[in-house]
């Protein structure tokens, strides 16, 4: 996002540096003063809600108590880390769940988004594309708590649509809300439902930009529809797919607390697969006030998250120089 | 022969898309149908896509005995959404303008200052402790607004829109003696209005749908947003059962727990559903502009 300096830019800057005089510098600061003013509110928000929380990570070396706060609490050395390593099982479970769910979201989400985009791209009926695209995009606008409420009417043991259907087919009913591994499938499906239409918009836009002469040439050569999709359309999407996937690696340790809260209501029976890092921190620290372990796992999430972002960016850079983010 | 094959595949495609569209739409039918059913029949027979014993008793119950809470939650959500969106758009466009001014020597510093927060984050816990203990945002309306005032993603999206405004217009204004404030307000905001509308909509959607902030910061029932009210209803069914049984038409009825959840779902989605047809184009454009390298 940070723009590369173009040669002209650099030349300008060099020239400026050579000719810099105190008066000119003062003049430019005077002219730019309103800019600092305009940026000020944004800077304040970034400092308050992003940079100070980073410094709050020193919490991990503290024995937190409410009265002294983050910065005033007594130092605890590495006690919190010892705690962290002594209950590794929790940390491993939370990490596993976070990464597992994110990988599943990424794979299934990409597959469905790409499939929808490709299929829409084949259609010549403009109104059909328009209507279905709108319908498929709509779930993106719905909050997880609403999705949770609707899911409940599908999955409830006695009253849910799913168990009614199973019963009608003569199959035994399933207790979805006490089957953590089955519920993971539900989470993945819910995620597809909510975001496939959104993802499809991106890939569909890429497809709209393809030169139609490729298709004409293929058709003249007698290629079938399926061949055209596999040999032209899909290859055209591969760069975007790889790029989006690489970039999503950077977010592998981030979890969506709202999603888990909205869909499972923190159901303890489901925690074996839904206890992602963010849920764990919320449960132990914010709900129960046990800060030691949560602070260690927060630091670990931040640091490894940062490393993942750097790695993902590096890989994106190898793949395609222009797609590097910074 | 290839013709037939092509046709078959295309029909298969149409069927797939139609089925997925129906799946995307069906849950809302389920919610509407549930809200229009009678509690007793839902309890006995389960949910259905067609109302079981069509009745408005659930809405009568909600608007009768829970009216105050619902109206207040709606008001809180609306206030947060409107105030939040307006302030966030001001903060964001101002920052985006600074980053987009070509002649400003520190613009890359400002861009990176924002961008770095996308790379590294202190996580939920320090954020929570600072917000509650140091900024005292808990149980305050402003706490539901301030943390979201600058989305770095939307800021860069806005920068893109500003960069697409022809530089000559800005230059000629500068020659006429206009300063940055005037250029920002009189030229950039009006000319970048498509971008302004787009990021406004993204912010409005985020504020309306959010229940992360209430989850973290709100315990006071008077500050429940509509989403958080919904959450407390789902997480704690006692909420509905508490209080007096509603009196409808002179007869005392038991609170309709199941159908009320569906009715609340409809009430929460309704504003979005009404506005969606008019506004989705902006979202589509924003997503496309945002994903094509910011």
């Amino acid at each position: 996002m940070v723009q590369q300096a173009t040669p002209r830019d650099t030349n300008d800057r060099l020239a400026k540096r050579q000719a810099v005089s105190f008066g000119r510098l003062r003049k430019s600061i005077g002219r730019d003063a309103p800019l600092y003013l305009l940026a000020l509110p944004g800077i304040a928000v970034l400092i308050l809600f992003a940079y100070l929380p980073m410094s709050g990570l020193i919490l991990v070396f503290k024995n937190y108590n409410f009265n002294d706060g983050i910065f005033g609490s007594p130092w605890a050395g590495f006690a919190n880390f010892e705690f962290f390593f002594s209950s590794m099982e929790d940390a491993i479970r939370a990490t596993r769940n976070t990464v597992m769910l994110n990988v599943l979201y990424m794979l299934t989400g990409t597959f469905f988004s790409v499939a929808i985009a490709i299929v829409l791209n084949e259609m010549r009926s403009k109104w059909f594309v328009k209507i279905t695209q709108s319908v498929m995009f709509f779930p993106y606008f719905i909050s997880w708590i609403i999705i949770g409420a609707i899911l409940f009417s599908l999955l409830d043991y006695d009253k849910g649509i799913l168990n009614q259907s199973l019963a009608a087919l003569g199959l035994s009913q399933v207790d979805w809300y006490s089957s953590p591994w089955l519920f993971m499938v539900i989470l993945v499906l819910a995620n597809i439902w909510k975001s496939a239409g959104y993802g499809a918009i991106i890939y569909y836009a890429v497809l709209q930009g393809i030169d139609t002469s490729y298709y004409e040439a293929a058709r003249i050569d007698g290629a079938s529809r399926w061949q055209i999709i596999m040999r032209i359309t899909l290859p055209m999407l591969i760069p975007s797919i790889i790029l989006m996937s690489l970039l999503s690696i950077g977010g592998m340790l981030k979890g969506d607390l709202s999603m888990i809260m909205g869909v499972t209501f923190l159901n303890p029976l489901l925690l074996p697969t839904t206890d992602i890092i963010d849920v764990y921190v919320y449960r132990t620290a914010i709900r129960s006030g046990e800060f030691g372990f949560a602070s260690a796992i927060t630091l670990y999430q931040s640091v490894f998250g940062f490393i993942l972002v750097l790695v993902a960016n590096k890989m994106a850079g190898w793949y395609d120089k222009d797609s590097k983010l910074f | 022969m290839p013709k037939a094959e092509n046709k078959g595949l295309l029909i298969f495609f149409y069927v797939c898309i139609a089925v997925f569209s129906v799946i995307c739409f069906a849950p809302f039918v389920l919610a509407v149908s549930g809200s229009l059913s009678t509690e007793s029949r839902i309890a006995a027979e389960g949910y259905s896509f067609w109302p079981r014993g069509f009745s408005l008793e659930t809405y009568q119950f909600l608007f009768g005995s829970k009216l105050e809470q619902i109206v207040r939650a709606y008001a809180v959500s609306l206030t947060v959404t409107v105030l939040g969106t307006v302030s966030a758009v001001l903060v964001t466009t101002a920052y985006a303008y600074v980053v987009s001014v070509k002649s400003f020597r520190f613009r890359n510093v400002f861009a990176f200052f924002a961008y770095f927060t996308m790379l590294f984050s202190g996580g939920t816990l320090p954020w929570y402790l600072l917000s509650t203990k140091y900024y005292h945002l808990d149980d305050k309306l402003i706490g539901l607004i301030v943390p979201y005032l600058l989305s770095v993603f939307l800021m860069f999206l806005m920068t893109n829109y500003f960069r697409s405004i022809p530089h000559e217009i800005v230059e000629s204004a500068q020659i006429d003696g206009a300063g940055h404030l005037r250029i920002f307000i009189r030229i950039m905001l009006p000319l970048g209005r498509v971008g302004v509308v787009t990021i406004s909509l993204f912010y409005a959607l985020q504020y309306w749908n959010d229940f992360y902030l209430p989850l973290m910061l709100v315990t006071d029932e008077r500050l429940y947003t509509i989403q958080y009210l919904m959450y407390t209803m789902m997480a704690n069914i006692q909420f509905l059962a508490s209080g007096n049984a509603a009196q409808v038409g002179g007869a005392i009825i038991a609170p309709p727990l199941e159908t009320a959840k569906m009715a609340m779902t409809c009430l929460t989605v309704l504003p979005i559903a009404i506005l969606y047809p008019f506004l989705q184009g902006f979202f589509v454009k924003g997503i496309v502009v945002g994903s094509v390298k910011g």
Side-chain angles (χ1 to χ4, degrees):
Chain A
M1 295 262 175
V2 179
Q3 280 223 324
Q4 295 275 320
T6 62
R8 235 195 87 211
D9 244 15
T10 344
N11 282 343
D12 283 354
R13 223 178 273 166
L14 267 176
K16 241 183 228 160
R17 208 168 294 161
Q18 281 158 0
V20 83
S21 68
F22 188 66
R24 269 186 71 174
L25 188 67
R26 210 172 50 183
K27 207 169 147 194
S28 90
I29 287 176
R31 194 192 56 210
D32 292 340
L35 291 178
Y36 298 100
L37 192 72
L38 283 172
L40 198 63
I43 290 175
V45 172
L46 290 173
I47 288 178
L48 286 178
F49 296 104
Y51 283 96
L52 284 178
M54 288 178 204
S55 71
L57 284 171
I58 58 159
L59 191 64
V60 74
F61 302 109
K62 296 271 190 164
N63 190 2
Y64 183 82
N65 68 71
F66 185 78
N67 288 331
D68 296 327
I70 298 178
F71 304 101
S73 290
W75 294 97
F78 289 90
N80 288 330
F81 287 104
E82 281 162 30
F83 192 22
F84 180 78
F85 286 112
S86 70
S87 35
M88 270 309 261
E89 272 167 44
D90 281 349
I92 290 174
R93 186 177 84 167
T95 310
R96 183 204 64 194
N97 288 338
T98 312
V99 173
M100 191 170 59
L101 281 174
N102 278 333
V103 168
L104 288 173
Y105 293 161
M106 182 186 88
L107 293 178
T108 57
T110 309
F111 177 82
F112 276 88
S113 300
V114 169
I116 291 170
I118 289 178
V119 169
L120 285 180
N121 190 49
E122 291 300 313
M123 297 179 170
R124 293 291 156 260
S125 165
K126 284 280 168 252
W127 65 266
F128 186 83
V129 170
K130 213 165 180 159
I131 289 176
T132 52
Q133 209 181 13
S134 300
V135 174
M136 290 185 289
F137 186 30
F138 188 66
Y140 169 74
F141 294 78
I142 305 303
S143 70
W144 279 115
I145 182 64
I146 296 297
I147 294 174
I150 297 176
L151 264 182
F152 183 82
S153 62
L154 286 171
L155 303 177
D156 183 62
Y157 188 80
D158 300 318
K159 302 180 284 287
I161 296 277
L162 239 56
N163 276 349
Q164 285 180 49
S165 313
L166 288 176
L169 293 171
L171 299 167
S172 58
Q173 291 166 311
V174 178
D175 193 354
W176 304 95
Y177 284 101
S178 57
S179 322
W181 293 95
L182 267 180
F183 206 83
M184 198 178 67
V185 178
I186 301 286
L187 285 178
V188 171
L189 292 176
N191 183 68
I192 294 171
W193 183 80
K194 182 166 158 70
S195 59
Y198 169 90
I201 286 174
I202 297 171
Y203 293 112
Y204 188 66
V206 175
L207 290 178
Q208 296 302 294
I210 295 179
D211 189 346
T212 50
S213 59
Y214 290 112
Y215 290 108
E216 277 154 26
R219 230 166 275 138
I220 290 166
D221 288 348
S224 73
R225 193 178 289 276
W226 186 247
Q227 280 173 323
I228 292 178
I229 289 174
M230 297 311 281
R231 301 281 171 79
I232 299 179
T233 315
L234 193 58
M236 288 289 191
L237 283 179
I238 293 286
S240 316
I241 295 173
I242 291 180
L243 199 66
M244 305 268 272
S245 310
L246 280 178
L247 294 179
S248 73
I249 290 176
M252 278 296 150
L253 281 181
K254 282 187 199 138
D256 188 347
L257 180 70
S258 304
M259 177 187 192
I260 302 292
M261 297 295 289
V263 175
T264 73
F265 324 113
L266 227 55
N267 183 337
L269 292 173
L270 298 176
L271 283 178
T273 57
T274 61
D275 194 21
I276 58 176
I277 295 174
D278 297 79
V279 171
Y280 185 86
V281 171
Y282 178 78
R283 274 189 320 123
T284 57
I286 296 172
R287 276 259 177 104
S288 316
E290 293 156 21
F291 289 94
F293 190 85
S295 66
I297 202 167
T298 299
L299 180 73
Y300 148 87
Q301 183 187 29
S302 291
V303 171
F304 279 88
F306 188 47
I307 293 171
L308 278 177
V309 172
L310 294 182
V311 169
N313 185 61
K314 193 86 191 157
M315 294 196 327
W318 285 334
Y319 179 70
D320 172 13
K321 252 186 267 157
D322 292 334
S323 60
K324 240 180 123 163
L325 280 177
F326 55 92
Chain B
M1 221 104 83
K3 272 262 148 57
E5 178 210 1
N6 285 348
K7 196 129 205 180
L9 192 60
L10 194 58
I11 291 171
F12 175 68
F13 281 171
Y14 272 96
V15 171
C16 285
I17 288 292
V19 168
F20 189 68
S21 298
V22 168
I23 290 174
C24 283
F25 188 66
F28 301 104
V29 177
L30 191 63
V32 174
S33 146
S35 74
L36 295 174
S37 300
T38 55
E39 178 71 13
S40 52
R41 285 196 59 191
I42 292 278
E45 298 161 59
Y47 291 99
S48 127
F49 285 100
W50 190 252
R52 293 198 194 276
F54 184 90
S55 100
L56 291 172
E57 70 180 34
T58 309
Y59 288 99
Q60 283 169 334
F61 163 75
L62 283 180
F63 292 133
S65 76
K66 298 290 168 194
L67 183 69
E68 204 192 323
Q69 274 138 313
I70 292 173
V71 168
R72 190 166 48 209
Y74 243 89
V76 172
S77 278
L78 209 61
T79 313
V80 166
T81 304
V82 171
L83 279 182
T85 303
V86 171
S87 340
V89 166
L90 285 175
V91 172
T92 307
T93 50
Y95 202 95
Y97 172 70
V98 173
V99 173
S100 74
V101 173
K102 283 217 174 73
S103 62
F104 181 43
R105 51 197 308 204
F106 296 121
R107 72 188 161 101
N108 283 349
V109 176
F110 280 76
F112 190 76
F113 188 74
Y115 183 60
F116 186 73
T117 64
M118 285 173 106
L119 306 178
F120 187 69
S121 123
T124 309
L125 190 54
W127 179 96
Y128 169 76
L129 292 177
L130 284 165
S131 300
T132 51
K133 183 162 170 54
Y134 291 84
Y135 315 152
H136 302 291
L137 292 176
D138 43 337
D139 280 333
K140 300 210 174 58
L141 192 69
I142 201 171
L144 300 177
I145 293 176
V146 180
Y148 290 160
L149 285 181
L150 186 75
S151 148
V152 175
F153 173 78
L154 293 181
M155 191 279 287
F156 282 114
L157 183 64
M158 197 62 226
T159 308
N160 267 337
Y161 280 103
F162 281 152
R163 286 213 181 108
S164 68
I165 295 171
H167 194 56
E168 294 76 35
I169 299 177
V170 178
E171 267 173 2
S172 66
Q174 273 170 336
I175 290 166
D176 290 344
H180 283 301
L181 282 178
R182 183 182 290 259
I183 292 174
F184 171 60
I185 294 166
R186 292 286 174 79
I187 298 178
M188 299 308 260
L189 284 183
L191 288 183
R193 59 182 173 271
V194 176
V196 174
V197 172
T198 305
I199 68 163
S200 308
L201 293 175
F202 275 104
Y203 274 122
L205 184 69
Q206 174 170 28
Y207 278 115
W208 182 262
N209 273 349
D210 185 59
F211 75 102
Y212 181 83
L213 290 181
L215 198 62
M216 291 287 167
L217 302 174
V218 170
T219 49
D220 185 349
E221 254 184 56
R222 287 170 304 172
L223 281 176
Y224 280 12
T225 61
I226 194 87
Q227 306 286 345
Y228 196 59
L229 186 69
M230 187 76 207
Y231 175 76
T232 47
M233 269 177 70
M234 291 302 296
N236 174 16
I237 203 69
Q238 301 307 319
F239 164 80
L240 280 171
S242 72
N244 304 324
Q247 273 197 306
V248 177
I252 295 173
I253 57 165
L257 303 181
E258 301 299 336
T259 55
K261 286 190 283 194
M262 294 297 102
M264 281 296 291
T265 298
C266 296
L267 290 177
T268 313
V269 175
L270 190 68
I272 297 177
I274 292 172
L275 295 173
Y276 180 70
F278 308 102
L279 303 178
Q280 60 149 322
F282 287 99
F283 283 99
V284 171
K285 214 179 265 171
I287 291 166
V288 171
V289 172
S291 64
V292 182
K293 181 134 167 84

